[in-house]
Amino acid sequence: MKKKYLPIAILMLLLFLTQDSHAITRQEVEGLMDSLIHGTERDIPCIKSVLLPNMHTIQQGTQKQNNVVLEQEKLENDPYSYDIPEYRVTKVTKPTQNTNTVKIPHFNSENDETPKTESVIPTIPLPGTEKTTQPLSLQDENVNKTPEETESPQLPLQQLTRREVFLTCLTKMGWANTLSLLNKLVIFEEYASFSSVDYVRTNMQPAPPSNLFTPAEEIFPNEDIIKLKEWAKKCVKNVQLETRLTVNGNSLYLIKRGVPPSSGYVQDMKAKNVPLFIVYYIHNTKKNMAGVAPAEQLGLDKLPLSTIAHETEGAEFAINGGYFGVGVGQIIGVLRFRGNTMRQKFCPHRSGIAWNNNGEHKFFDGRITQTIVSDRSFDKYTEVFQAGPMLISNGQISQNKEDLDLDIMNKRHPRTFVAEQPDGTLVWGVVDGRNAAHSVGMTIAELKQFCKERHFVNALNLDGGGSSSVWWNGLSFSKPCNIYGAERKIPYAIVIYRENAEAICEPIEFTPPPQQE
């Protein structure tokens, strides 16, 4: 080599040795996960309509977003109770002209169903299009310019760290809500330095290769893409996180499973490894007292679960209970609170649970027990309520349908349940539902199978749908399926008290206030 070329060769060698290898980008990670989860053709996941803050419903029809027309179909009403209707996407087509706003009828009040005005709101990008499609601002100075005049230079693609690649994978797998719920733990001293992303990485199965996402802040190198793909393939087939969270000596158990079904529809019974989010609390009936907590104690016929729990002194855990009707929240079936029978009417064929704070409890089958008020064997139980159907009875799957609607039985919905373990402890749990990314819910048959696999001796289905919710140590730790994720107002909650709250559950003489007209 001629000497005059030597400096140039040395410079090129130095540049080659010091330059970064190609790093994976967010678009590449998202594309990889999409191809594994949804196949080569990208599916639009089930999403809820965008509502105005003071609007109570949306007319069935179409709305245009980011040059895509979403034909919406009203979902079935919640068979458990009444609720604001929800919508899902049924068809996606490209319009001939660009549209950059969404016009939706504006309803002025809950009782007035006539649209008064038309409100215009900015478009919201469809999932996965946030980086490629930007809605035009009403004040955009480039509105009237030609595409050549408005064309902007291409920005370099963002290079991700190992931690960001893992977070992107979890998000595409529908685990964002789980991470959000786990992030709430940072308010507790035990979790002051808690990282939800790192916690999931070290506790999920299949566990990622030890060096795939560590060191976390290092740029993810292209040569690790093969290991990433192999791990992601395993996750698409079967992925799960099962863990116990402990605060102030009491624990909440969490199960997260699955990835979004390729159809994006919660009732796709053929889909495998579907998303599920389950939380439950194990209640030692000899250690922690529990009781029915009526909203009427606080002066109203119905309140959100978290409100009842916050206002109940000594509460550690709370969950929704049995069924109730419309109007003023009429309770369905027998309800006994601290020894006082608030409602005496027995609901035929409906099963239930009774307990006291001496460590005694009883699951009763509605086909056998025709009355409770006149049955002296129930006198020792201070808390009683009905729900149904029975899921497990004496270790065997129950076949009693209890006159419930087939839609409640055979479709996937959010579920609430109580079960008994062989050691006599009670399990109070919720399965989130109606969300194709976070958790699709369960049919009654699926919930029975889940309880059977957990070796529960007895198990009872409680009120589900939009009523399903869990409160633990001051936090709502489930994702209700209602609009905006809001809790539904319920007539009573089941509250488990801290160990030192013994006097709170002593039997009382309680006269409920008169029902509102």
Side-chain angles (χ1 to χ4, degrees):
M1 180 183 294
K2 294 182 179 181
K3 291 184 178 181
K4 66 177 181 179
Y5 296 117
L6 185 58
I8 298 176
I10 293 175
L11 179 60
M12 293 179 65
L13 178 61
L14 289 174
L15 289 173
F16 175 79
L17 293 175
T18 57
Q19 70 178 352
D20 291 334
S21 61
H22 171 69
I24 192 169
T25 64
R26 190 177 306 278
Q27 290 83 350
E28 290 172 328
V29 178
E30 292 177 346
L32 170 63
M33 298 304 298
D34 280 337
S35 65
L36 294 176
I37 296 174
H38 302 297
T40 56
E41 183 176 350
R42 184 187 179 95
D43 291 312
I44 301 298
C46 177
I47 61 172
K48 292 183 178 180
S49 301
V50 179
L51 302 182
L52 294 174
N54 58 346
M55 191 172 70
H56 298 281
T57 186
I58 286 184
Q59 294 283 7
Q60 182 174 343
T62 64
Q63 63 173 332
K64 299 179 180 179
Q65 299 187 46
N66 295 326
N67 304 328
V68 178
V69 176
L70 306 182
E71 294 193 5
Q72 297 176 328
E73 175 185 60
K74 180 181 176 182
L75 295 180
E76 300 92 343
N77 288 333
D78 185 349
Y80 284 94
S81 184
Y82 64 101
D83 198 4
I84 300 172
E86 299 170 2
Y87 295 78
R88 66 178 172 86
V89 174
T90 57
K91 187 178 180 182
V92 179
T93 56
K94 293 280 186 178
T96 55
Q97 296 181 351
N98 292 340
T99 306
N100 296 293
T101 56
V102 183
K103 291 188 177 181
I104 304 178
H106 185 163
F107 291 79
N108 287 346
S109 69
E110 190 173 27
N111 299 321
D112 187 356
E113 299 183 354
T114 305
K116 301 300 182 183
T117 62
E118 276 195 339
S119 299
V120 179
I121 62 174
T123 57
I124 292 184
L126 292 173
T129 64
E130 295 87 343
K131 302 296 183 183
T132 58
T133 306
Q134 296 293 335
L136 292 175
S137 167
L138 295 178
Q139 305 298 326
D140 195 332
E141 61 182 6
N142 295 322
V143 167
N144 298 319
K145 293 186 178 180
T146 63
E148 291 76 12
E149 293 174 321
T150 58
E151 185 175 356
S152 58
Q154 291 291 326
L155 297 176
L157 296 176
Q158 179 187 4
Q159 296 182 344
L160 303 184
T161 64
R162 292 180 182 272
R163 181 190 188 89
E164 291 169 333
V165 168
F166 180 61
L167 179 58
T168 302
C169 290
L170 290 180
T171 302
K172 296 302 285 186
M173 289 194 297
W175 287 42
N177 285 317
T178 302
L179 295 174
S180 177
L181 289 169
L182 287 172
N183 281 335
K184 295 180 178 182
L185 296 173
V186 297
I187 69 170
F188 300 113
E189 183 179 352
E190 296 92 329
Y191 295 91
S193 58
F194 179 78
S195 166
S196 60
V197 176
D198 293 338
Y199 186 83
V200 170
R201 178 176 57 82
T202 55
N203 289 279
M204 70 183 302
Q205 294 294 330
S210 58
N211 63 340
L212 186 57
F213 299 115
T214 54
E217 302 308 320
E218 178 185 278
I219 295 296
F220 192 98
N222 188 53
E223 54 265 25
D224 279 352
I225 189 67
I226 296 177
K227 287 192 291 186
L228 174 65
K229 187 174 182 180
E230 290 174 352
W231 171 77
K233 278 184 177 180
K234 295 178 183 178
C235 291
V236 170
K237 290 181 180 179
N238 186 20
V239 61
Q240 175 172 300
L241 169 70
E242 186 162 351
T243 188
R244 181 177 70 176
L245 309 171
T246 302
V247 172
N248 298 325
N250 62 85
S251 299
L252 186 74
Y253 294 80
L254 180 152
I255 300 172
K256 176 68 178 99
R257 298 176 180 172
V259 298
S262 59
S263 66
Y265 186 43
V266 296
Q267 300 299 339
D268 182 4
M269 298 301 175
K270 296 181 180 180
K272 305 296 183 182
N273 193 32
V274 295
L276 285 172
F277 182 86
I278 308 165
V279 288
Y280 63 90
Y281 180 96
I282 297 179
H283 172 208
N284 186 335
T285 58
K286 297 180 180 180
K287 181 179 177 182
N288 296 83
M289 293 190 170
V292 171
E296 288 179 347
Q297 290 184 106
L298 305 175
L300 294 173
D301 60 293
K302 290 185 297 180
L303 285 168
L305 175 76
S306 59
T307 302
I308 297 175
H310 275 295
E311 297 298 326
T312 303
E313 183 182 354
E316 176 177 284
F317 173 87
I319 198 168
N320 64 293
Y323 298 99
F324 61 95
V326 299
V328 294
Q330 183 181 14
I331 295 165
I332 296 175
V334 171
L335 180 69
R336 185 176 294 174
F337 159 62
R338 294 174 68 175
N340 180 77
T341 303
M342 298 181 62
R343 178 176 167 82
Q344 299 186 6
K345 186 176 181 180
F346 183 86
C347 187
H349 311 298
R350 293 290 174 85
S351 300
I353 183 173
W355 74 92
N356 60 33
N357 285 304
N358 296 322
E360 299 173 297
H361 57 265
K362 178 179 182 178
F363 288 81
F364 57 89
D365 193 317
R367 294 177 301 178
I368 301 173
T369 305
Q370 294 303 313
T371 182
I372 290 177
V373 176
S374 60
D375 188 340
R376 300 277 72 88
S377 67
F378 279 87
D379 287 352
K380 64 180 179 180
Y381 299 113
T382 59
E383 319 295 313
V384 182
F385 71 91
Q386 284 184 276
M390 188 72 78
L391 304 169
I392 303 291
S393 182
N394 296 320
Q396 301 299 318
I397 292 178
S398 174
Q399 302 302 322
N400 186 9
K401 297 181 179 179
E402 305 186 18
D403 300 331
L404 287 168
D405 191 280
L406 291 179
D407 186 61
I408 294 179
M409 300 288 291
N410 299 331
K411 287 190 175 183
R412 286 185 173 135
H413 296 292
R415 303 287 180 181
T416 305
F417 66 91
V418 57
E420 179 185 10
Q421 298 193 113
D423 62 0
T425 56
L426 295 180
V427 177
W428 302 87
V430 157
V431 183
D432 281 351
R434 298 184 190 158
N435 188 316
H438 171 59
S439 184
V440 299
M442 289 184 178
T443 65
I444 288 295
E446 289 172 335
L447 185 56
K448 287 179 178 179
Q449 187 60 38
F450 172 81
C451 293
K452 181 70 174 176
E453 292 171 356
R454 296 272 152 172
H455 306 291
F456 295 151
V457 178
N458 294 292
L460 174 68
N461 181 63
L462 308 183
D463 188 15
S467 298
S468 288
S469 51
V470 161
W471 180 94
W472 179 64
N473 283 311
L475 298 174
S476 295
F477 222 84
S478 58
K479 185 175 178 61
C481 65
N482 307 309
I483 298 297
Y484 305 125
E487 296 177 54
R488 174 179 289 163
K489 294 180 180 180
I490 55 178
Y492 66 94
I494 310 302
V495 173
I496 299 174
Y497 298 90
R498 292 191 297 271
E499 190 174 357
N500 58 358
E502 297 182 1
I504 296 176
C505 298
E506 292 179 354
I508 61 168
E509 290 296 329
F510 176 74
T511 303
Q515 296 285 348
Q516 299 178 6
E517 294 296 333

